[in-house]
Amino acid sequence: MLRRSAVTAGFALALALVATPATAQAGPDGSFAPGKAGPGDTTTALYTEAKAMAAKGPAPAPGLVDAMVRDLGISSEQAAARLVNEAAASKVEPVLADRLGEKFAGAWVTGPTAELVVATNDSAKVADILKTGAQAKLVRHSLAALDAAKGALDAKAEGSPKSIASWYVDLQGNRVVVLARDTAEAEAFVAASGADASLVQVERTAEEPKPFYDVRGGDAYYMGGRCSVGFSVTKAGSQGGFVTAGHCGDVGTATQGHNRVAQGTFRGSSFPGNDYAWVEVNSNWTPTGVVNAYNSGILPVRGSTQRAVGSSICRAGSTTGYHCGTISQHNTSVTYPEGTITGVTRTTVCAEPGDSGGSYISGDQAQGVTSGGSGNCSIGGTTYHQPVNEILSAYGLTLATGDGGGNPPPTGCTGYTQTLSGSATASGQNLYSSAFTGGSGTYRLCLDGPSGVDFDLYLQKQSGSSWVNVASGTSSGPDESFTYNGTSGTYRVRVHAYSGTGAFTVGLTTP
């Protein structure tokens, strides 16, 4: 059931900061440690309370703690404390950013247990930060100033030299950093951008970033012609890849992905007799346990149990998208001009050229890859698929499985002029709407998330090159709602998956 929580002006906990004199002395790096409240001090310790709330949540999965111990070099006790503190920090940061306004200089966590540090460029704000239970750091530049400098670089991004790997706001260093393989080129780029050079530091790097792409069933791939991905697979000692139809390529044939980026190589192929193959992808691509069902969304693959004759079955392919039918017969032999294929499944699902190799799936169970057939998706037809379990066995592959955000979004936010939907696939993920222009007046927002999660909702307004949280709902649970009395400007909606994953719906009404 959708639970409502009224939150206004961006602070769900309704806790106030009270300015009190600072008694702590700054360390050599300008940082202050939190102290105890004096007699009669009624200031609420936001971070301390947030940690107490976070500690009451579900215990972390043992596998997560083990991975943190292994990769971060910390103890299991430190890992558990770190998770609590990180969760608390994510709740407190937007509140303090709003309260400090132009005096906010960023926040981060530090040390093996991830204690929160909040920076300001105003010494009068140090006491306010310390009373929350967080550490404070006095710096020279506000976050707004650093964001403005980075924004000037962003505005010239299209013409940036290829030797520049990245640029970013370094909160701990209170600066903007440009990483480049050629520092002279980078310095010239900074000068030409108009950014405040006193805020920018160019550093040499050997990094050469490149994009990564997901392998999804049903997506197109190219190898001189076009076929479709069947299902993502993994293989010990390999990058993994996908299964597809054997008639799409011979061993050694190179492939490009749906975006025409180099993708992989056929490592096994059998046709005729069989009609199956597998493609090993390069490190730019990640096999994912989902099928692109086009207008029907992204569907999860959770196994490969063969369905009985008469069962419903659907097919995804890059020519005709997503279509459904029923299983007619298993263990069929079909004769093509190139020869006879044995052991395939006959179905009533339509297909057309280019769909070859694509996914057949019943519910969330992978069934096979498109081989061939007759007819088309205008008049209907008969098609055949090569069972996926035979392909996995032949090449020693493992089917990639996952959630895929396949569940439909909730529908609890009604009575709003706009409805947005999305799906969070990892805890801590942020998802944003497209920017929109809003007038002066009342903004109404609602978030309806799946049961058992903690999702937060924010309304953000553009300020120069930055986005500022102007209102939020951050209670514990999947649902939020609030109103905000705003002025004309450019806005967007942010959904933060504080903990848990799944589909959600946002209701939005603008003035």
Side-chain angles (χ1 to χ4, degrees):
M1 179 179 293
L2 179 63
R3 174 176 50 74
R4 301 290 177 225
S5 57
V7 184
T8 60
F11 192 13
L13 301 179
L15 302 177
L17 291 172
V18 178
T20 58
T23 58
Q25 296 295 316
D29 64 346
S31 62
F32 297 80
K36 296 181 179 179
D41 190 347
T42 58
T43 302
T44 305
L46 303 181
Y47 180 49
T48 302
E49 289 194 353
K51 288 198 290 186
M53 292 176 62
K56 296 178 181 179
L64 171 59
V65 173
D66 291 344
M68 294 174 67
V69 169
R70 179 195 67 208
D71 296 336
L72 298 183
I74 58 179
S75 68
S76 57
E77 292 77 13
Q78 289 172 326
R82 187 181 186 94
L83 290 169
V84 168
N85 294 344
E86 289 170 347
S90 69
K91 291 288 189 182
V92 172
E93 179 183 356
V95 176
L96 290 178
D98 180 63
R99 296 294 184 179
L100 295 173
E102 63 182 11
K103 304 302 183 182
F104 180 66
W108 58 91
V109 295
T110 187
T113 57
E115 291 295 340
L116 177 62
V117 180
V118 180
T120 180
N121 64 334
D122 184 351
S123 61
K125 299 296 184 181
V126 168
D128 293 343
I129 296 170
L130 293 176
K131 294 303 182 182
T132 69
Q135 299 176 33
K137 185 171 183 179
L138 184 62
V139 296
R140 183 174 181 181
H141 308 295
S142 69
L143 181 58
L146 298 176
D147 282 342
K150 179 181 178 293
L153 301 178
D154 291 343
K156 300 294 184 180
E158 188 172 341
S160 63
K162 299 300 183 183
S163 63
I164 295 181
S166 62
W167 59 84
Y168 53 85
V169 173
D170 173 16
L171 295 176
Q172 295 94 324
N174 196 231
R175 59 183 182 162
V176 176
V177 173
V178 178
L179 298 179
R181 296 179 295 279
D182 186 326
T183 56
E185 280 191 341
E187 289 166 354
F189 167 68
V190 172
S193 73
D196 184 345
S198 68
L199 304 180
V200 182
Q201 183 169 336
V202 175
E203 295 183 355
R204 187 179 301 279
T205 183
E207 293 180 14
E208 295 188 53
K210 56 187 177 182
F212 299 101
Y213 310 100
D214 287 340
V215 178
R216 307 180 303 181
D219 278 350
Y221 70 92
Y222 298 87
M223 63 303 157
R226 173 170 56 84
C227 278
S228 300
V229 173
F231 295 96
S232 290
V233 295
T234 60
K235 184 178 177 69
S238 164
Q239 293 285 346
F242 60 90
V243 293
T244 188
H247 72 261
C248 288
D250 298 324
V251 173
T253 299
T255 68
Q256 296 176 313
H258 60 86
N259 50 9
R260 300 285 188 165
V261 172
Q263 180 192 59
T265 305
F266 275 77
R267 297 303 187 195
S269 181
S270 179
F271 178 80
N274 302 298
D275 193 6
Y276 55 64
W278 90 278
V279 173
E280 181 184 26
V281 297
N282 60 42
S283 58
N284 290 344
W285 294 80
T286 301
T288 58
V290 299
V291 167
N292 178 7
Y294 294 84
N295 290 338
S296 295
I298 304 299
L299 305 180
V301 178
R302 297 194 174 100
S304 56
T305 301
Q306 182 174 278
R307 294 300 194 228
V309 169
S311 298
S312 60
I313 188 169
C314 301
R315 179 200 51 74
S318 60
T319 299
T320 60
Y322 192 65
H323 291 271
C324 298
T326 58
I327 297 173
S328 301
Q329 292 90 24
H330 291 304
N331 196 24
T332 302
S333 297
V334 58
T335 299
Y336 300 141
E338 296 85 352
T340 299
I341 312 299
T342 61
V344 294
T345 295
R346 187 170 183 261
T347 80
T348 65
V349 187
C350 70
E352 296 179 13
D355 290 328
S356 290
S359 323
Y360 276 81
I361 186 167
S362 289
D364 58 9
Q365 297 296 302
Q367 299 296 299
V369 302
T370 306
S371 174
S374 58
N376 56 48
C377 289
S378 297
I379 63 172
T382 298
T383 54
Y384 302 88
H385 74 253
Q386 181 80 60
V388 68
N389 287 332
E390 182 181 355
I391 313 173
L392 300 177
S393 176
Y395 296 121
L397 305 170
T398 300
L399 184 70
T401 58
D403 177 24
N407 298 321
T411 57
C413 293
T414 59
Y416 293 80
T417 57
Q418 301 178 56
T419 301
L420 313 172
S421 62
S423 182
T425 58
S427 292
Q429 184 178 17
N430 287 300
L431 298 102
Y432 300 88
S433 72
S434 299
F436 59 88
T437 301
S440 297
T442 301
Y443 292 75
R444 296 176 56 240
L445 285 89
C446 166
L447 168 66
D448 188 10
S451 299
V453 305
D454 184 0
F455 285 4
D456 296 329
L457 178 65
Y458 297 85
L459 178 64
Q460 297 186 318
K461 186 176 182 181
Q462 191 169 28
S463 176
S465 62
S466 302
W467 290 93
V468 178
N469 295 324
V470 294
S472 64
T474 57
S475 64
S476 297
D479 308 323
E480 308 289 350
S481 66
F482 59 82
T483 60
Y484 171 70
N485 188 24
T487 56
S488 298
T490 301
Y491 292 85
R492 70 180 182 184
V493 175
R494 169 192 171 204
V495 174
H496 175 60
Y498 175 69
S499 66
T501 62
F504 61 84
T505 296
V506 173
L508 172 66
T509 297
T510 60

